[in-house]
Amino acid sequence: MIARWGVLLALAGWLGMPVVARAASLMEMHDVAFRFSDAVIVGIDNLRGVLLPARAGAVPNFDRPDSMVIRISAARVTMGDGTLTWLLNHRAFAYPGSPLSEIRVTSTPGRVKVQARLKKGIAVGVELEGTLAAHQGKIALTPTSIKANGVAVRGLLDLLGIELAELIQVRTERGVAIAGDRLILDPQRLLPPPRIEGAVTAATAESGRVRLSFGSGVAARPLRPAAAGGYLYFRGGALRFGKLTMHDADLEMRDGDADRFHFYLARYARQLVAGTARVRPNGGLLVTVPDFDRLAKPKRP
């Protein structure tokens, strides 16, 4: 399969792709379950933006998610409660001396509940329930109810003038901050690589998940007309995967059916090896791969 890819890319270059790449690739995703890690899956209804190298002069490398930046201009995405729970436990509050542990997120239409253990002298069970909204390009959870060991304490906090920040000390570099009584989550810092850049413009809670809009929310006309089903598409710039580099990229990846495309960047090579590729008349590549969750598990040696 790798040899076949080498032949295809050599042929693509022969068909006229320039050697020098632009700094960024236009990118588009539609109906994709994008895996950042085993535990972090983001449902992408649609996304338009550019793919940039994380370091000037470098090339985005599929084998190194930290080598690339996804700059979003418009997108509508969803995050399930399981993903949010993992991010809070293993990213936002995963450091020595963290005040919160055993965090669990539960979403219902219009409401989000966060339950956790607060270490403040003794361990206290806390529960925050409230509404979501966009706030300065991030996600804001505004509590309408705060409980400690099952007892409502919101009125006491207001009476004593104690803000949420005085109860829960956080580290903003990990994607969580406090603004007044609001808990602020920053997807740009919260998610694992590849790093994303983009302003959240809407946030709502649904059953078992949170829906987010970035920018205008809805992408304009597709970069290329595509068949039904999920896909990723890159145009221009340079992309590297394995030992191969594609210049003036024209690359479409899809799963070949009409349902959501499950793509795992950190394990993309397994999908490529199990897939097929063909060169389009303009030198672009169409890659058809199986969904990641349908791949057979590798056999142990």
Side-chain angles (χ1 to χ4, degrees), residues 89-158:
N89 279 295
H90 299 279
R91 299 278 292 182
F93 293 99
Y95 56 87
S98 170
L100 292 180
S101 63
E102 301 177 36
I103 304 169
R104 181 183 178 186
V105 177
T106 306
S107 303
T108 55
R111 314 285 294 178
V112 171
K113 180 188 295 184
V114 179
Q115 297 166 295
R117 301 293 291 177
L118 173 64
K119 302 172 186 175
K120 195 171 180 66
I122 60 173
V124 177
V126 296
E127 179 182 296
L128 283 69
E129 185 172 0
T131 58
L132 290 182
H135 173 74
Q136 298 180 353
K138 302 177 179 63
I139 308 165
L141 169 60
T142 302
T144 55
S145 170
I146 301 177
K147 297 179 181 179
N149 285 341
V151 178
V153 294
R154 179 59 186 264
L156 178 61
L157 295 178
D158 289 339

Side-chain angles (χ1 to χ4, degrees), residues 29-299:
M29 298 189 203
H30 173 73
D31 202 11
V32 176
F34 191 94
R35 290 176 178 258
F36 285 82
S37 70
D38 288 345
V40 178
I41 304 174
V42 176
I44 298 176
D45 294 340
N46 63 74
L47 182 148
R48 175 70 64 82
V50 295
L51 184 69
L52 298 163
R55 180 171 54 85
V59 173
N61 188 340
F62 278 41
D63 295 278
R64 292 189 53 196
D66 61 352
S67 73
M68 58 183 70
V69 177
I70 298 174
R71 182 172 293 168
I72 301 172
S73 57
R76 294 187 66 202
V77 308
T78 57
M79 292 190 201
D81 289 348
T83 287
L84 288 168
T85 293
W86 191 94
L87 289 172
L88 291 178
N89 279 295
H90 299 279
R91 299 278 292 182
F93 293 99
Y95 56 87
S98 170
L100 292 180
S101 63
E102 301 177 36
I103 304 169
R104 181 183 178 186
V105 177
T106 306
S107 303
T108 55
R111 314 285 294 178
V112 171
K113 180 188 295 184
V114 179
Q115 297 166 295
R117 301 293 291 177
L118 173 64
K119 302 172 186 175
K120 195 171 180 66
I122 60 173
V124 177
V126 296
E127 179 182 296
L128 283 69
E129 185 172 0
T131 58
L132 290 182
H135 173 74
Q136 298 180 353
K138 302 177 179 63
I139 308 165
L141 169 60
T142 302
T144 55
S145 170
I146 301 177
K147 297 179 181 179
N149 285 341
V151 178
V153 294
R154 179 59 186 264
L156 178 61
L157 295 178
D158 289 339
L159 178 64
L160 299 178
I162 300 174
E163 293 187 326
L164 191 58
E166 296 177 61
L167 279 181
I168 305 174
Q169 298 299 317
V170 298
R171 294 186 177 182
T172 56
E173 72 274 10
R174 289 180 171 267
V176 62
I178 302 296
D181 273 350
R182 289 176 294 185
L183 184 67
I184 308 297
L185 302 178
D186 183 358
Q188 297 184 99
R189 295 178 180 268
L190 200 57
L191 289 167
R195 190 171 85 244
I196 67 166
E197 295 179 353
V200 176
T201 51
T204 56
E206 300 177 353
S207 294
R209 65 183 185 177
V210 167
R211 181 175 296 279
L212 306 175
S213 293
F214 291 79
S216 62
V218 180
R221 183 179 178 180
L223 292 173
R224 64 168 292 109
Y231 64 88
L232 292 80
Y233 179 66
F234 305 89
R235 177 189 292 172
L239 301 174
R240 182 171 177 83
F241 33 91
K243 297 181 179 180
L244 309 174
T245 301
M246 187 178 192
H247 296 281
D248 192 18
D250 188 333
L251 173 65
E252 180 178 350
M253 301 180 68
R254 58 170 50 252
D255 64 356
D257 55 39
D259 62 6
R260 176 154 284 195
F261 178 23
H262 289 253
F263 179 74
Y264 193 171
L265 181 59
R267 305 281 189 273
Y268 83 96
R270 288 187 57 206
Q271 292 182 265
L272 287 188
V273 169
T276 61
R278 68 178 178 86
V279 180
R280 287 190 163 115
N282 68 346
L285 288 177
L286 172 61
V287 184
T288 304
V289 301
D291 287 318
F292 180 80
D293 59 349
R294 294 180 181 176
L295 288 175
K297 293 183 179 180
K299 295 181 179 180

